[in-house]
Amino acid sequence: MLHDTIAAIATPPGEGGIGIVRISGPAAVEIAGRIFRPAGARDWRSGPGYRLYYGYVVDPASGETVDEVLLALMRAPRSYTREDVVEINGHGGIVPLRRILQLVLDSGARLAEPGEFTRRAFLNGRLDLAQAEAILDVIRARTGESLKVALGQLRGELSERIEALREALLRVLAEMEASIDFPDEEDVPETELAELARRLTGIADECAELLAGADAGRVYREGLGVVIVGKPNVGKSSLLNALLREARAIVTDIPGTTRDVIEETVNLRGIPLRLLDTAGLRETEDAVERIGVARTRNVVAAADLVLAVLDAASGLEAEDREVLALAAGKPLVVLINKIDLAPAGIDPDEIRRLVAGPVLRVAVREGRGLDKLEEVIADLVLGGQVAGRDPILISNVRHKNALERARRYTNEARAALTGGLPLEMAAIDVRNALDALGEITGATVGDDLLDRIFADFCIGK
Ligand code: GDP
């Protein structure tokens, strides 16, 4: 329903300098007019958009003043939703904001659903779907780099690339259909088929190129799940603390669902590292085994990267081999710690024979080798991509899956063409590829998918 007017508190719950009640829809101005008393005599309702009006929110039933506010007026179509939008900037307390919202609802607005403002912006064509999703990524960005990726997507950089691919596919499809429509004509010449196949190859290659950055993109959006494993006393908690200190900016501190799973996010060269299962590592006084094997196995399975710590002073022990066996098969960095005590403690080559992945010699307590560790992690994430270049990164798994489908269908279309199958068969594949790309920008998208995407948003976004 785009004909009704929606409202919600757009600022986070709690106390703040200001809090905003946002209203959007055809009756936004009229509804705000019922409860807003401007301080000046001027009738703000006929005033221009992109203005702030100072005054009071007054309960029309009792005449009681509820808050002193600034009212921002944005007229359709130049607003977040492309509808008339009024934002009432009140004092950021729970009671005044709730009262303002209640008055707005009593005056004829409906409480907005999660993400409904952004959904309207999408439905009214102000943003495409990838851009709408980027808004949530901007809000949730964990590092400056994450923000950069999200802002690029919000500006439409990804959408432009996807649209260009769609147009290229549409042109191929149009030519195919032109040939299909004239079945009496002679067979399509080989040269024309070869040309279409060549263009399809180019499109599939471009999909592949975009997909190449998807792993790094996902890390910027979701963070890299890192777990530190090792037998007791190798220096795991020292490493954790060093990373927390080194990376200084702790951007989030998320208590997990159970008390003993704590996740902390640190900013490592712009890469958000989610340090998993740090609870055990924090209890340094606890002499009993801090992480059981079963637990370690689970955390390792969930991690994107394992840091396995060994103790140069103790040498490689049976327990270490178990730890390495647990981590084998995962992206892994092995740290031979305490080289200050035993510079020749464990031979890195011996480790390399056991597991794949970089082996670093460090002394965590002195901060030795941590730079190298950061470098290695950054390399792993960026997958050798040239730093400084500013590629468009696919950060959203939904986009990645759609793009993979588009590439597959494009390749199938080309195979059909070169394999001498009827043109109709290739055309079906091209249409499927178009649909897959359309899911990214929302050109082809169902209500259920929209429901799922916007359900992640908060009310007021
Ligand atoms: P965890 O049980 O694996 O979490 O190990 P801890 O981080 O609690 O460290 C165990 C002991 O090793 C502590 O006394 C640390 O100070 C010490 N330690 C950690 N890293 C180093 C290091 O690089 N060199 C030396 N000499 N000792 C270290």
Side-chain angles (χ1 to χ4, degrees):
M1 271 274 286
L2 284 174
H3 307 296
D4 56 355
T5 295
I6 55 172
I9 298 173
T11 39
E15 294 179 10
I18 57 166
I20 296 176
V21 173
R22 185 187 251 175
I23 314 168
S24 178
V29 175
E30 187 192 323
I31 287 169
R34 291 198 189 122
I35 62 166
F36 177 63
R37 300 285 169 270
R42 200 149 53 98
D43 182 11
W44 67 276
R45 280 173 293 190
S46 53
Y50 280 93
R51 286 285 163 87
L52 283 177
Y53 299 90
Y54 169 68
Y56 295 88
V57 168
V58 173
D59 183 340
S62 64
E64 185 195 353
T65 297
V66 173
D67 200 1
E68 180 190 20
V69 302
L70 281 174
L71 181 143
L73 171 63
M74 284 142 293
R75 291 197 187 279
R78 298 189 54 219
S79 73
Y80 185 71
T81 55
R82 280 208 171 155
E83 303 171 331
D84 280 345
V85 170
V86 173
E87 287 177 0
I88 301 174
N89 296 240
H91 291 103
I94 295 168
V95 173
L97 283 176
R98 288 222 179 121
R99 287 197 60 191
I100 293 172
L101 176 64
Q102 193 54 54
L103 290 177
V104 168
L105 299 178
D106 292 346
S107 304
R110 164 174 72 73
L111 186 64
E113 286 165 25
E116 198 173 359
F117 292 96
T118 310
R119 187 174 184 148
R120 286 188 171 198
F122 164 67
L123 292 173
N124 290 326
R126 196 178 83 79
L127 300 164
D128 69 24
L129 197 53
Q131 290 175 301
E133 287 172 298
I135 287 173
L136 200 57
D137 296 348
V138 167
I139 291 167
R140 296 199 176 150
R142 296 163 193 252
T143 69
E145 285 302 312
S146 312
L147 179 60
K148 216 160 98 184
V149 173
L151 283 174
Q153 192 178 319
L154 178 59
R155 275 196 305 267
E157 288 169 6
L158 171 63
S159 307
E160 267 172 39
R161 282 287 287 274
I162 299 296
E163 273 314 303
L165 287 172
R166 268 171 56 83
E167 274 162 31
L169 279 172
L170 276 170
R171 281 196 295 272
V172 170
L173 184 64
E175 287 178 33
M176 286 178 170
E177 282 173 345
S179 303
I180 295 169
D181 286 345
F182 297 102
D184 307 339
E185 302 268 309
E186 289 193 6
D187 278 351
V188 186
E190 278 302 320
T191 51
E192 194 181 323
L193 287 181
E195 169 59 16
L196 288 176
R198 194 189 59 77
R199 276 153 63 185
L200 287 171
T201 305
I203 292 166
D205 286 351
E206 267 196 62
C207 291
E209 195 184 301
L210 279 175
L211 283 166
D215 288 337
R218 185 185 72 88
V219 167
Y220 283 125
R221 180 167 180 266
E222 296 174 10
L224 186 79
V226 176
V227 63
I228 303 170
V229 296
K231 70 188 175 197
N233 272 317
V234 286
K236 296 183 296 298
S237 62
S238 304
L239 175 63
L240 171 70
N241 289 328
L243 285 172
L244 292 176
R245 212 172 29 244
E246 192 83 352
R248 263 176 312 182
I250 301 174
V251 285
T252 49
D253 192 350
I254 311 165
T257 41
T258 55
R259 255 196 71 230
D260 55 347
V261 180
I262 290 181
E263 185 186 302
E264 291 168 90
T265 306
V266 303
N267 178 344
L268 185 146
R269 301 186 181 185
I271 300 163
L273 293 195
R274 291 185 292 114
L275 297 163
L276 307 177
D277 199 43
T278 52
L281 300 183
R282 290 248 150 160
E283 296 155 16
T284 45
E285 300 305 311
D286 192 352
V288 274
E289 193 187 16
R290 286 166 204 160
I291 305 185
V293 172
R295 171 97 167 273
T296 305
R297 188 168 283 133
N298 287 338
V299 189
V300 163
D304 299 311
L305 173 67
V306 180
L307 302 180
V309 188
L310 307 174
D311 183 342
S314 76
L316 193 65
E317 297 180 315
E319 235 180 318
D320 296 314
R321 290 176 189 277
E322 278 173 41
V323 167
L324 292 176
L326 267 180
K330 276 286 188 179
L332 171 70
V333 177
V334 181
L335 300 168
I336 301 174
N337 188 29
K338 306 193 192 180
I339 53 162
D340 54 314
L341 295 180
I346 297 175
D347 179 6
D349 284 333
E350 191 179 353
I351 307 301
R352 289 194 187 99
R353 280 194 289 276
L354 296 173
V355 287
V359 182
L360 303 180
R361 291 157 35 83
V362 300
V364 170
R365 208 162 67 178
E366 300 172 355
R368 269 165 71 189
L370 292 178
D371 265 6
K372 183 71 189 162
L373 174 61
E374 287 193 11
E375 198 180 306
V376 164
I377 293 176
D379 274 357
L380 278 173
V381 170
L382 299 178
Q385 286 192 48
V386 192
R389 213 177 58 147
D390 228 349
I392 293 169
L393 286 182
I394 304 283
S395 61
N396 190 315
V397 178
R398 190 183 80 77
H399 301 169
K400 182 185 174 198
N401 292 341
L403 202 55
E404 273 169 352
R405 263 183 292 130
R407 180 181 54 169
R408 206 182 58 232
Y409 283 124
T410 306
N411 278 327
E412 280 170 16
R414 192 211 37 214
L417 277 185
T418 52
L421 292 178
L423 221 44
E424 283 90 341
M425 305 286 277
I428 290 173
D429 287 325
V430 173
R431 274 193 213 99
N432 284 334
L434 275 166
D435 282 351
L437 291 179
E439 280 175 29
I440 297 176
T441 54
T444 44
V445 73
D447 271 350
D448 46 342
L449 179 60
L450 291 184
D451 286 346
R452 244 183 299 136
I453 289 171
F454 288 107
D456 273 354
F457 282 61
C458 319
I459 291 185
K461 299 280 167 356

